[in-house]
Amino acid sequence: MLDLAIDGLEVRFRGLSEPALAIPSLRLAAGERVAVTGPSGSGKTTLINILTGLDRTPTGRVVWKNTDLTALSEGARDRWRARNIGLVMQDFHLFAGLSALDNVLLPQRLSRFRLADAVREEALRLLSRVGIVRPRQPVETMSRGQMQRVAVARALVAKPGLLVADEPTASLDAESGGAVADLLLELTREAGSTLIVASHDARMTDRLDRVLRLESGRLV
Amino acid sequence: MFRFIAADLRRHWLGVAAIMLLIALATALGVAVTLQERALRLGSARAAAAFDLVIGAAGSETQLVLSSVFLQPAPLPLLPGEVLARLRADPRVAWAAPVGFGDFVGGYPIVGTTREAVEGLGRLAEGSGFSHLGDAIVGADVNRDIGETFHPFHGTVETAGDVHEEVEYEVVGRMAPTGTPWDRAILVPIQAVWEVHAHRDHDDAPATPVNASGPVAAQVKAAHEEAGHEDHDHAEGAAHDEHDHHGHLAEEVDDAALMSADNPGVPAIMVKPKSIADAYNLRQEYRRGNTVAVFPGEVLTRLYGTLGDARRILSAVAYGAQGLVAAAILLVVSIHVLQRQRQIGALRALGAPRAVVFGIVWTEAFAILAVGVLIGFGIGYAGVSVLSERLGSESGVNLPVEFQRSDLWTMGGFFAVTAIVTLLPALLAYRQSPARALRS
Ligand SMILES: Nc1ncnc2c1ncn2[C@@H]1O[C@H](COP(=O)(O)OP(=O)(O)OP(=O)(O)O)[C@@H](O)[C@H]1O
Ligand SMILES: [Mg+2]
């Protein structure tokens, strides 16, 4: 499992006088379940991009266990992310034209030469676990709630140590949002993964161990 | 990766098809120019291959070749009869056969010549060669069966004259295909042509139209008075044995008569020299005074030298069109990639390595363009085949539509350019930040 140490982090965007994100110090323990909340524009997505190595910043250190993300090249961060992180995004990013199963397997197929049978079995298990009864159904024919559940299965299929979700329920109605929130909590508990969720959704944030509140890029 | 590309192509099949079609048409344009020019060049060169040396009266060399090799009707000046006699006696000459036009039937030109021409041009596929003046050998594409008879029409295919009612030829043989306009010709003994026009002048001289064969007729009239009647009388006894010929053409073909210097003139003589040295000697010798001698292959090469400029212009136009289409499509593909930066970012965010994203975009773009190029070669080939088929059946020249080794290089060049050009959208995708995936 991964634990996290952030020191002296500062993210600035061109055209903004204040940093979009400024975190002098932050520690997370492995297996912790953390919510990141705050008003729109407070820097939640910016933080997640930094934590997952999707973006990097010239100032500060972001160290997961023994890996300093700020010191890695882009390719190395891609590889690290593929090994360690499962990602769930607000608008799913499923790929039309592929079945639910193929979508779950796509990242594995793209980053590995051969797909192990165990991965395929795990994908089918996760799909049925998230309540998708027809794994061969093309994703573009699914409801939004089903789509996000496929995305959850995709995020977990490689058994990542860290699951990161950015507004996973924001584009869903209350019922499917609740189902996705339940699944995220249950499945990370089963897998023992660290969970970081950026969300306004109280149903989600209230059920997590720890809440980080951002305002104008600062933790409060 | 390929599953993902296939799904993506399927999803955008309409745009993919449109782009492929554009590429294909642009490619086909260039391929067609190359193939059609080659077909014309090879086709006419092959048609001329049987004609080593052609001798005519002083005048246009090009017209001499067009008229003798391609049987294009034109009023050629006539060679005096003694030239044929002299050539046939020349030890450097394997054979020399006259090419005499003047009549036609059913759209086919009737060519007066000798048996050597039949062997020189190819061979008989069926039937027999000339034995009587009224015998005719049809080219492979002539729609007449052996045993059929016909009356020749005076003039040329284009300038229809009236029928020679009193003359009747019988088809006795058919040539194997030669891939030349001679496949559409009807070969008759030159002596018969002379006879026909001599008699025509006797019978109804006032009605003779002034055209290509006018001079032949005039000369025959003069010659017939002396030599013609002798032949007539001489052959009388042997006639009417196996064929039931009518009129003046019942006599046997007598090649000895060709040796008379008093024969009527002919527009062209095809000559088969015994050796290459003889060919050059003969050409040298007959390029003086009132005769001209040409190697048809050489004349065609010169002609194509002139036409080569036209081909270069067409090629340049085709390349220009290809360049524009390529640029337009590159723009479309690049815009497409930029519009999909969130999707591409998502692939990266989900763990796809940069190189794989690069590979996906490159493979997809290259596949579309390369398939377009391949289809273009197909369309170009098919189009030229159809066109050549049509041109060929009109002119009788067999136009060979064929790819050559150099086309492989062209195709390889196209693929190389495609491979390089598609690096642009792939690099655009490669450089995109994965952080875009989480922002809307
Ligand atoms: N690429 C960028 N260039 C300039 N400014 C940016 C860029 N990305 C983000 N920002 C700014 O940084 C700030 C933080 O944005 P961020 O997306 O992290 O907010 P958020 O908390 O995720 O908001 P939301 O709840 O609406 O998703 C905002 O003011 C935003 O406009
Ligand atoms: Mg956000």
Side-chain angles (χ1 to χ4, degrees):
Chain A
M1 292 302 118
L2 301 172
D3 44 18
L4 168 74
I6 291 181
D7 288 296
L9 176 70
E10 208 176 271
V11 180
R12 288 174 180 278
F13 290 115
R14 217 171 303 142
L16 293 182
S17 54
E18 291 295 299
L21 192 64
I23 299 178
S25 175
L26 176 66
R27 297 285 180 277
L28 292 185
E32 224 175 333
R33 302 142 70 76
V34 184
V36 181
T37 64
S40 185
S42 57
K44 302 185 292 293
T45 297
T46 307
L47 176 60
I48 281 187
N49 276 340
I50 295 292
L51 291 180
T52 52
L54 287 170
D55 227 346
R56 76 156 143 195
T57 166
T59 45
R61 274 162 30 90
V62 179
V63 183
W64 282 104
K65 204 166 180 186
N66 300 316
T67 311
D68 183 356
L69 285 188
T70 47
L72 293 184
S73 71
E74 193 153 354
R77 276 183 282 133
D78 281 353
R79 284 191 293 280
W80 174 84
R81 191 166 54 247
R83 268 199 311 278
N84 296 295
I85 292 191
L87 201 57
V88 177
M89 294 165 274
Q90 175 173 343
D91 33 13
F92 328 139
H93 284 302
L94 296 172
F95 295 92
L98 296 178
S99 68
L101 178 62
D102 283 335
N103 260 286
V104 171
L105 292 173
L106 182 66
Q108 310 310 315
R109 284 209 169 103
L110 292 183
S111 53
R112 261 159 260 258
F113 276 119
R114 250 184 61 80
L115 199 63
D117 287 342
V119 177
R120 174 183 293 271
E121 273 160 36
E122 174 68 359
L124 287 168
R125 184 189 75 79
L126 278 167
L127 278 172
S128 83
R129 180 70 183 75
V130 299
I132 302 296
V133 286
R134 286 193 291 145
R136 313 272 164 193
Q137 186 182 351
V139 278
E140 67 271 21
T141 64
M142 293 183 148
S143 75
R144 299 180 67 78
Q146 285 174 320
M147 288 188 189
Q148 192 62 305
R149 283 184 274 143
V150 173
V152 170
R154 176 178 63 188
L156 288 165
V157 73
K159 305 189 195 311
L162 170 63
L163 189 77
V164 179
D166 191 10
E167 310 275 11
T169 58
S171 67
L172 303 177
D173 59 57
E175 197 179 329
S176 9
V180 166
D182 290 344
L183 279 170
L184 279 174
L185 291 165
E186 287 167 27
L187 288 170
T188 42
R189 185 175 301 121
E190 283 169 20
S193 312
T194 309
L195 173 66
I196 300 178
V197 184
S199 179
H200 307 282
D201 190 344
R203 280 171 310 172
M204 185 87 237
T205 54
D206 288 351
R207 295 159 67 182
L208 295 171
D209 308 338
R210 182 173 166 192
V211 176
L212 299 175
R213 190 168 168 78
L214 278 172
E215 256 163 47
S216 311
R218 278 152 224 279
L219 286 173
V220 292
Chain B
M1 174 160 151
F2 292 106
R3 199 183 290 233
F4 178 74
I5 292 174
D8 202 52
L9 291 178
R10 251 199 319 277
R11 216 154 59 87
H12 299 104
W13 68 269
L14 198 64
V16 167
I19 288 180
M20 275 184 186
L21 191 69
L22 277 177
I23 293 275
L25 290 180
T27 309
L29 197 63
V31 170
V33 169
T34 308
L35 283 182
Q36 188 65 70
E37 188 268 345
R38 179 180 301 151
L40 284 173
R41 188 158 38 80
L42 289 182
S44 52
R46 283 178 196 171
F51 297 80
D52 288 333
L53 182 66
V54 174
I55 296 180
S60 160
E61 296 185 6
T62 312
Q63 191 57 58
L64 178 61
V65 171
L66 288 180
S67 293
S68 55
V69 178
F70 299 101
L71 296 178
Q72 296 282 316
L76 282 186
L78 295 183
L79 280 165
E82 54 97 11
V83 177
L84 180 61
R86 183 144 48 90
L87 277 168
R88 285 178 75 89
D90 197 312
R92 294 166 298 180
V93 172
W95 53 263
V99 183
F101 339 101
D103 293 331
F104 72 96
V105 63
Y108 304 114
I110 295 174
V111 181
T113 184
T114 59
R115 24 178 151 248
E116 290 95 338
V118 176
E119 288 143 30
L121 283 169
R123 52 179 186 83
L124 279 178
E126 48 178 321
S128 57
F130 307 134
S131 55
H132 297 85
L133 289 185
D135 291 348
I137 295 172
V138 294
D141 294 342
V142 174
N143 188 17
R144 294 284 143 114
D145 289 327
I146 290 181
E148 267 187 63
T149 58
F150 59 88
H151 299 288
F153 283 76
H154 191 67
T156 62
V157 175
E158 279 82 8
T159 64
D162 34 34
V163 67
H164 293 285
E165 278 293 358
E166 75 289 359
V167 181
E168 190 177 65
Y169 289 108
E170 180 184 350
V171 179
V172 297
R174 175 183 296 279
M175 301 267 291
T178 62
T180 73
W182 287 68
D183 285 348
R184 293 181 47 80
I186 297 176
L187 277 51
V188 299
I190 185 79
Q191 296 93 324
V193 174
W194 288 336
E195 283 270 330
V196 167
H197 288 95
H199 279 280
R200 181 184 177 80
D201 273 21
H202 278 307
D203 301 344
D204 43 24
T208 306
V210 180
N211 59 26
S213 59
V216 179
Q219 291 230 9
V220 168
K221 189 179 178 184
H224 194 77
E225 245 83 275
E226 304 141 40
H229 276 305
E230 264 170 51
D231 283 355
H232 208 282
D233 302 337
H234 158 80
E236 200 87 295
H240 302 292
D241 43 13
E242 41 185 316
H243 295 289
D244 183 24
H245 287 299
H246 307 288
H248 316 284
L249 299 180
E251 301 145 33
E252 282 191 15
V253 176
D254 177 14
D255 282 348
L258 297 170
M259 300 309 291
S260 162
D262 299 324
N263 277 330
V266 290
I269 300 171
M270 47 174 146
V271 176
K272 179 78 182 175
K274 284 194 174 132
S275 71
I276 293 180
D278 292 337
Y280 278 92
N281 277 334
L282 285 164
R283 185 178 70 140
Q284 186 74 13
E285 196 175 312
Y286 282 88
R287 282 178 87 82
R288 295 195 208 109
N290 54 1
T291 60
V292 62
V294 296
F295 297 146
E298 204 178 60
V299 173
L300 287 176
T301 308
R302 207 168 337 120
L303 208 56
Y304 279 110
T306 328
L307 293 183
D309 295 336
R311 193 211 58 189
R312 266 195 291 281
I313 292 170
L314 282 179
S315 298
V317 170
Y319 277 124
Q322 283 159 6
L324 285 178
V325 168
I329 280 169
L330 203 60
L331 193 73
V332 169
V333 172
S334 299
I335 289 173
H336 188 61
V337 166
L338 289 175
Q339 276 174 346
R340 294 173 67 191
Q341 47 186 323
R342 296 196 65 232
Q343 192 194 24
I344 291 166
L347 279 176
R348 292 275 306 283
L350 293 171
R354 272 177 122 180
V356 169
V357 170
F358 178 89
I360 286 175
V361 174
W362 183 83
T363 310
E364 203 167 324
F366 181 77
I368 295 173
L369 302 203
V371 168
V373 166
L374 275 180
I375 295 176
F377 268 78
I379 293 179
Y381 181 81
V384 171
S385 296
V386 169
L387 194 65
S388 292
E389 183 69 41
R390 189 165 304 165
L391 284 177
S393 67
E394 272 167 23
S395 67
V397 183
N398 188 10
L399 297 175
V401 182
E402 52 190 52
F403 285 113
Q404 292 181 348
R405 187 169 289 267
S406 64
D407 297 323
L408 276 180
W409 287 104
T410 310
M411 197 189 279
F414 274 40
F415 284 148
V417 169
T418 307
I420 292 170
V421 153
T422 44
L423 288 178
L424 181 76
L427 277 172
L428 277 178
Y430 183 83
R431 289 177 50 86
Q432 244 158 57
S433 157
R436 301 286 312 222
L438 295 184
R439 310 221 179 250
S440 356

